[in-house]
Amino acid sequence: MDASTKTTEIPLLDSLLEQPCDDETLAALDDVSLEDRIEQYYTTLDTLATRIDDAMKHTAKQMGTVDYADKKNDVEGLGVEGVDFYEGSLDDVDPSEWQVPPHCIPIHTNVTSYDWNELSGACQFDVIMMDPPWQLATANPTRGVALGYSQLTDKDIENIPIPSLQKDGLLFMWVINAKYQFALDLFEQWGYELVDEVVWVKMTVNRRLAKSHGFYLQHAKEVCLVGRRGAAPA
């Protein structure tokens, strides 16, 4: 398949690419036309997802690596409460995609079972950054987004002994809207004072807001809360 034939094999994609999608054009559509346009996008995205899935299976087969279909089946159910976590391996990490920064020692472990006492006894951290895999969906989600990677329950995150790793310093925690209040409660429980926040406004390559999924509204930002415990780093 060459570049000139890629789009023609996917229904609706050519016609969608030819249709203007600026704000003014979309605002001028009536409700029926707008719903039809949205449905076309969803149909095309589903088709693209299927093609990508097929391509991944073909690539894995050609390279003789772990069968993509088997690997995908291994992680079915991730993010659902009561389902075991998928244990990865450093052998599966592509060095070209992830490298250890200088003077750092990576710890590849399950945070729900790791012996944190050993780490806290060996060192204390001036700055900790957390990007928890918040649990968004249950086994039967009706709204929102079901994620394909392993998620942690609120209790799992709460049980991470952050205070034992940092007596004095700053904690940066990325948080989703649905867990904002829970994160604030965690700060208080762990002995942190909320001192600031970082807001990442997501943009497309065309400098438009990159709207993503949300429970009630589409979101184009992510928030990182900043807490301080004890004295700030010198």
Side-chain angles (χ1 to χ4, degrees):
M1 181 190 302
D2 57 41
S4 63
T5 61
K6 285 182 179 179
T7 59
T8 57
E9 294 187 8
I10 300 178
L12 298 178
L13 184 56
D14 279 339
S15 61
L16 285 177
L17 291 175
E18 294 172 357
Q19 297 181 49
C21 59
D22 57 277
D23 294 342
E24 184 178 351
T25 300
L26 295 177
L29 296 176
D30 57 43
D31 291 345
V32 175
S33 299
L34 184 59
E35 288 181 3
D36 182 61
R37 180 76 68 88
I38 293 173
E39 183 61 31
Q40 290 178 15
Y41 276 113
Y42 279 135
T43 301
T44 304
L45 288 175
D46 287 341
T47 303
L48 284 171
T50 300
R51 293 296 176 86
I52 292 173
D53 193 58
D54 291 341
M56 292 293 291
K57 293 176 183 177
H58 177 73
T59 300
K61 183 177 181 180
Q62 291 294 317
M63 296 179 64
T65 57
V66 177
D67 186 75
Y68 177 75
D70 292 341
K71 192 74 171 179
K72 184 178 180 182
N73 290 335
D74 284 344
V75 298
E76 285 296 328
L78 289 180
V80 178
E81 188 172 358
V83 176
D84 291 337
F85 291 100
Y86 172 74
E87 294 286 353
S89 170
L90 284 177
D91 296 334
D92 298 331
V93 177
D94 185 350
S96 66
E97 297 180 355
W98 184 84
Q99 296 184 5
V100 181
H103 313 298
C104 293
I105 300 175
I107 300 176
H108 184 74
T109 188
N110 185 335
V111 297
T112 64
S113 58
Y114 180 67
D115 183 5
W116 294 99
N117 292 327
E118 183 176 356
L119 180 60
S120 62
C123 63
Q124 291 286 296
F125 297 89
D126 293 327
V127 177
I128 295 176
M129 193 282 289
M130 298 179 64
D131 189 5
W134 300 102
Q135 189 174 62
L136 301 184
T138 61
N140 296 301
T142 56
R143 300 186 68 178
V145 183
L147 298 181
Y149 56 78
S150 180
Q151 301 160 53
L152 293 177
T153 65
D154 291 352
K155 193 63 177 177
D156 288 330
I157 297 172
E158 180 182 353
N159 287 339
I160 299 175
I162 295 298
S164 69
L165 301 173
Q166 184 179 64
K167 303 301 181 185
D168 301 285
L170 297 173
L171 171 62
F172 292 75
M173 178 188 285
W174 288 97
V175 60
I176 60 176
N177 282 18
K179 302 297 182 180
Y180 201 96
Q181 184 58 55
F182 176 74
L184 294 177
D185 293 340
L186 270 186
F187 271 39
E188 182 177 357
Q189 177 180 326
W190 287 343
Y192 286 86
E193 174 191 3
L194 181 66
V195 294
D196 213 331
E197 68 176 14
V198 177
V199 179
W200 172 25
V201 178
K202 299 182 178 181
M203 308 290 287
T204 68
V205 294
N206 297 319
R207 307 303 296 168
R208 296 178 181 273
L209 289 178
K211 297 177 182 178
S212 184
H213 296 285
F215 193 81
Y216 292 106
L217 302 174
Q218 288 182 316
H219 302 150
K221 67 176 178 63
E222 290 190 27
V223 176
C224 180
L225 302 178
V226 183
R228 184 183 67 194
R229 188 170 191 261

